[in-house]
Structures are given as C-alpha cells and as structure tokens.
Amino acid sequence: MIIARGKVLIYQVIAVLSLIMAFVGILLPGIPAAEFILLCAWASAKSSPKINNFLHTNKYTGPILYNWNNGKVVSRKSKLISSFSMVLCSFFIIYHDVNLYLSVFAFSGMLIGFVWIWSRPEKVS
C-alpha cells in the first residue's frame, strides 16, 4: 500500500512538472510544449483524474491529446510552431556564442525533435 502511494505521488509530480514545463514551452522558444503535454497526460492518467480531465477538456490541450490518442497525429500547425521555435532557438544560440559542446548538444536534440515531429502523420484517419 505504501509502495502504491509512492508510485502515485511520483506520477503526480511528473504530471505537475510536465504541465508547468508545457506552459513554459509556450512562452520560450526551444522548449517543446506539445511533448510535455503528452507526458503530463500519460502521468496524470495514472495518478490524477482531475489533471487528466483538465487536459482533455481544455480548448488548447484537448485537440493535441485527441490527435495523439487517435493515430499519434501532430497537426501541421503544431509542426510549424515547433519548427519556428527551434529555428529561433538556434539563432539565439548562434548569436550568443554558446559553448561549442552545448551548441552541438542543443542542435542535435532539436534535429532529432524536428525529424520526429515531421515524421508523424498530420490528420486523424
């Protein structure tokens, strides 16, 4: 029973932190909001019906989750916003002359994210 409560608490912490990061991702380029929404939905489905219901009924996160649950779909609009955010973040990294190793790490992560996002279907079939 104690172990089960500990698991639920861990899932709740993941849900809340990923929801916070999703909101941060909406405001800051380079932080993926959609991926954090998906992580929050996964964790809240295991721990918090309130957060899970909020995500699925919210006018901003609901469509993202509907698309994901019905074919792992990422809309064209989300793809374009994510791509623009990554390009903007890349310009910031180049402009601020960030350490070479950090730049390569950041560019590699964004490239992987870019390829993954654009490999997803765009419409629910």
Side-chain angles (χ1 to χ4, degrees):
M1 182 151 162
I2 294 174
I3 293 173
R5 279 191 189 166
K7 267 178 112 172
V8 169
L9 181 61
I10 289 170
Y11 285 128
Q12 287 174 339
V13 168
I14 291 170
V16 170
L17 291 177
S18 59
L19 184 59
I20 291 168
M21 288 303 297
F23 288 122
V24 170
I26 291 168
L27 301 174
L28 297 176
I31 297 177
E35 288 84 346
F36 281 113
I37 290 169
L38 294 174
L39 178 61
C40 181
W42 170 77
S44 66
K46 296 178 177 289
S47 65
S48 177
K50 281 185 180 182
I51 294 174
N52 197 34
N53 186 48
F54 167 77
L55 289 174
H56 282 84
T57 58
N58 184 283
K59 71 178 184 177
Y60 299 109
T61 59
I64 292 170
L65 294 174
Y66 174 82
N67 287 343
W68 187 255
N69 291 332
N70 292 289
K72 308 275 189 259
V73 172
V74 177
S75 71
R76 169 78 47 120
K77 180 181 175 184
S78 293
K79 289 178 180 183
L80 291 172
I81 291 170
S82 295
S83 298
F84 176 75
S85 177
M86 286 185 255
V87 168
L88 187 61
C89 186
S90 297
F91 284 129
F92 285 142
I93 289 171
I94 292 167
Y95 179 76
H96 289 289
D97 198 28
V98 175
N99 176 293
L100 178 63
Y101 295 112
L102 290 175
S103 297
V104 169
F105 182 73
F107 291 137
S108 298
M110 285 187 280
L111 179 62
I112 291 167
F114 181 85
V115 169
W116 182 83
I117 287 169
W118 283 95
S119 71
R120 304 285 87 215
E122 293 182 358
K123 293 184 181 175
V124 175
S125 48

